[in-house]
Amino acid sequence: MEIISYDDLRNIVKSGDVISIAALSTGNLPMEVLKHLAEQHDEHGNLDNLTFVVANDISDFDDGFDLDSFVSRGMVKRIITSLMVASPVTVEAVKNNEIEAYFLPQGIIAISYRDQAFSSPGTITKIGLNTVVDPRLSGGKVNDASRDDLVSLMEINNEEYLHYDFPKIDIVLLRGTYADEDGNIFMTHESHLGEGFSAASAAKKNNGKVIVQVKEIIAKGSFNPRDVFIPSELVDYVVINKNPKYHKQVIQTYYDPALSGHHRISHSKEKFLEFGARKIILRRSAQFLKRGHAVSIGYGINNELSNVLREEQADHLVKLNIDTGIFGGIIGSRNHFGMNYNLDARMRHDMTWDFIFNGGLDIAFLSFAEIDKAGNVNVSKFGERMNGSGGFIDISQTVKTLIFSGTMVVGSESHCKDNELVIDSEGHSKKFVDTVQSMDFNADYSRELGQDVYYVTERAVFQLTDEGMELIEIAPGLSLEKDVLSQMDFKPKISKDLKVIKSELFQENWGKLAETIENNH
């Protein structure tokens, strides 16, 4: 291991390199390294044609340095990622075919480094079959500029698999809290662990270089050796952070010891969710929970499920999981997104996907952008937005029970009166469409997998059946034709035993979720 200055980076990172960054938003993001690489390009103009491989979205939603900083400078050839919601300049460049872009499943990207490290001929898996990443659809290619086939279909023992062929890693840019004098990396203050160990291993297998940004160098033996996250043998260079702005633990703060599991808080910093359509949806969705369930919390509306469980004093009945490796505790949302307190455990990102892929979860709560007449779901592409699906495909093809949650119409307004739902004004875009724009969840394939699938909105609840979408519940006070069916581009099958959603959900205070979960068998 060699301690270097930021000026030395220009002699290490070269044009044409494939660069891996193991980070989520600001968490674990070596932003000061990115800052100096971008500024060195401004000065010398000798760093371009880069490929970035990032399993997750990276940004601080501020004026820091991220993908946009490199794309706006013309430094990027290709991006391989699962999610892109915080990089508007990059999204526009993708739309304009100025750079290549591939949206692939987050879990597959995270575990692909291990496959590279032990010389596997790519990642071979069923994850992604019959979705947008299947080469029979788009192979994960986002635009016309993306011509290389990174995903291919193959057959083993008469069964279909996808073969993901990721480029070999030249440079890994990582972040830790401390490095000791030998170069061992500790993640003491970080909010999650990430997949940095596996990414470093992949780079070393390819004779690449591993660069780690840390807060400071500590004496050898300062910490228990069991706390080493990346051993010195995998680390080539260490740079020391100079400006705390570029080493924030999460978007909202430089460092909070509760976010790294060093103490527990007695009360959440987040207020309970205001009463409205979102809370109604979450209350109804949560009724599918059973005591002891291992629960995957997706982003979007479901990130607030933890909030509702706390309000209902039911959070102790289930075990929440975020696919970044966070188990249990209080999962923040809205302005507290990424601020996860009172963790039961945290795990390496790639190992978390091992847990998920091998049946560790009982139920998953996922969002939707569009649902079509067959029950297929689009979460990654709608209107002018081009997000990618994150871990949606990985999870939705792995978990036994799936709950897709969201409002029925974009932009609609409603309120509750006398425990009934009243639609004040209709929105501007229907979510229940004839055909989804992106096949992120394939309903036919889901039935082959034997999954139980429900779609929950504030107006109605649907179930996936062998005959397609079936309407099984309607909100109290609504007209079936005017408020539900007319807001869909197709007519679903209507259950002969159509029920009314319990009216008690449509009031300010409820208080019966814990009892419901306990009574579910």
Side-chain angles (χ1 to χ4, degrees), residues 30 33 172-176 185 210-214 230 235 237-240:
V33 172
V172 175
L173 304 180
L174 302 175
R175 195 181 87 185
I185 304 300
V210 178
I211 304 168
V212 187
Q213 173 183 313
V214 300
I230 304 176
V235 178
Y237 305 106
V238 169
V239 289
I240 303 171

Side-chain angles (χ1 to χ4, degrees), residues 3-172:
I3 301 173
I4 61 171
S5 70
Y6 286 100
D7 288 339
D8 293 326
L9 291 169
R10 65 182 180 179
N11 301 316
I12 301 169
V13 183
K14 307 294 185 183
S15 290
D17 277 346
V18 176
I19 300 175
S20 168
I21 302 175
L24 167 61
S25 189
T26 297
N28 294 1
L29 184 64
M31 195 178 295
E32 198 154 13
V33 172
L34 299 179
K35 173 180 182 291
H36 282 272
L37 289 175
E39 291 176 345
Q40 286 167 19
H41 176 79
D42 291 342
E43 183 177 354
H44 303 286
N46 62 347
L47 188 61
D48 54 22
N49 204 36
L50 300 174
T51 292
F52 282 94
V53 182
V54 289
N56 229 316
D57 205 19
I58 57 171
S59 178
D60 69 345
F61 297 88
D62 198 357
D63 58 348
F65 288 78
D66 50 26
L67 288 178
D68 280 358
S69 306
F70 287 75
V71 170
S72 63
R73 289 171 166 83
M75 301 169 68
V76 178
K77 169 191 175 184
R78 172 186 291 176
I79 292 174
I80 301 170
T81 186
S82 72
L83 190 67
M84 192 188 299
V85 297
S87 304
V89 173
T90 303
V91 169
E92 284 304 308
V94 172
K95 289 179 180 178
N96 296 330
N97 286 300
E98 296 168 11
I99 60 174
E100 301 173 28
Y102 295 80
F103 285 155
L104 301 179
Q106 181 189 128
I108 298 304
I109 299 175
I111 68 169
S112 71
Y113 300 119
R114 293 204 313 252
D115 293 332
Q116 292 186 43
F118 65 77
S119 301
S120 171
T123 298
I124 300 172
T125 175
K126 288 180 177 290
I127 298 297
L129 280 171
N130 304 301
T131 71
V132 68
V133 300
D134 190 312
R136 291 169 292 191
L137 294 178
S138 78
K141 299 171 185 174
V142 182
N143 59 12
D144 293 336
S146 309
R147 299 186 180 91
D148 289 348
D149 296 325
L150 301 189
V151 189
S152 58
L153 185 69
M154 64 186 303
E155 191 173 287
I156 302 175
N157 296 331
N158 297 317
E159 292 189 41
E160 291 182 340
Y161 291 84
L162 295 183
H163 173 236
Y164 293 83
D165 187 15
F166 289 90
K168 294 181 178 179
I169 304 299
D170 298 306
I171 300 289
V172 175

Side-chain angles (χ1 to χ4, degrees), residues 92 103 124 174 191 200 202 204 215 267 272 287 393 490 510:
E92 284 304 308
F103 285 155
I124 300 172
L174 302 175
S191 58
K204 298 304 287 185
K215 288 183 177 180
H267 301 287
F272 291 138
Q287 289 185 303
I393 292 174
F490 61 91
W510 180 31

Side-chain angles (χ1 to χ4, degrees), residues 277-288 296-305 363-371 377-379 392 402-409 431-432 453-458 460-462:
R278 293 174 72 87
K279 179 175 271 190
I280 292 168
I281 292 167
L282 290 167
R283 284 174 172 176
R284 178 62 191 93
S285 296
Q287 289 185 303
F288 289 100
S296 176
I297 300 294
Y299 295 107
I301 184 174
N302 293 296
N303 210 229
E304 297 175 316
L305 181 61
I363 187 170
F365 292 82
L366 303 169
S367 300
F368 65 84
E370 292 179 328
I371 299 169
V377 179
N378 163 31
V379 72
F392 178 96
L402 296 170
I403 313 298
F404 295 108
S405 307
T407 55
M408 191 162 189
V409 183
K431 292 186 179 182
F432 287 77
V453 181
Y454 297 90
Y455 311 81
V456 179
T457 76
E458 80 282 22
V461 179
F462 303 83

Side-chain angles (χ1 to χ4, degrees), residues 408-414 423-430 458-459 478-479 481-484 486-487:
M408 191 162 189
V409 183
V410 178
S412 64
E413 299 289 340
S414 62
I423 306 301
D424 298 316
S425 61
E426 281 303 348
H428 50 79
S429 300
K430 295 178 182 179
E458 80 282 22
R459 304 188 192 194
L478 295 191
S479 162
E481 181 59 42
K482 175 177 179 292
D483 298 318
V484 178
S486 69
Q487 302 307 315

Side-chain angles (χ1 to χ4, degrees), residues 449-513:
L449 297 175
Q451 295 174 309
D452 296 320
V453 181
Y454 297 90
Y455 311 81
V456 179
T457 76
E458 80 282 22
R459 304 188 192 194
V461 179
F462 303 83
Q463 181 176 6
L464 181 62
T465 71
D466 290 339
E467 290 76 38
M469 295 279 288
E470 181 179 14
L471 175 63
I472 60 173
E473 295 179 18
I474 185 172
L478 295 191
S479 162
L480 175 61
E481 181 59 42
K482 175 177 179 292
D483 298 318
V484 178
L485 298 182
S486 69
Q487 302 307 315
M488 306 172 69
D489 287 344
F490 61 91
K491 185 174 181 178
K493 177 184 176 183
I494 300 174
S495 173
K496 295 178 181 178
D497 186 29
L498 181 63
K499 292 181 170 59
V500 175
I501 302 174
K502 291 182 178 179
S503 61
E504 61 195 32
L505 273 63
F506 295 81
Q507 58 185 343
E508 185 77 29
N509 299 306
W510 180 31
K512 294 185 178 181
L513 179 57

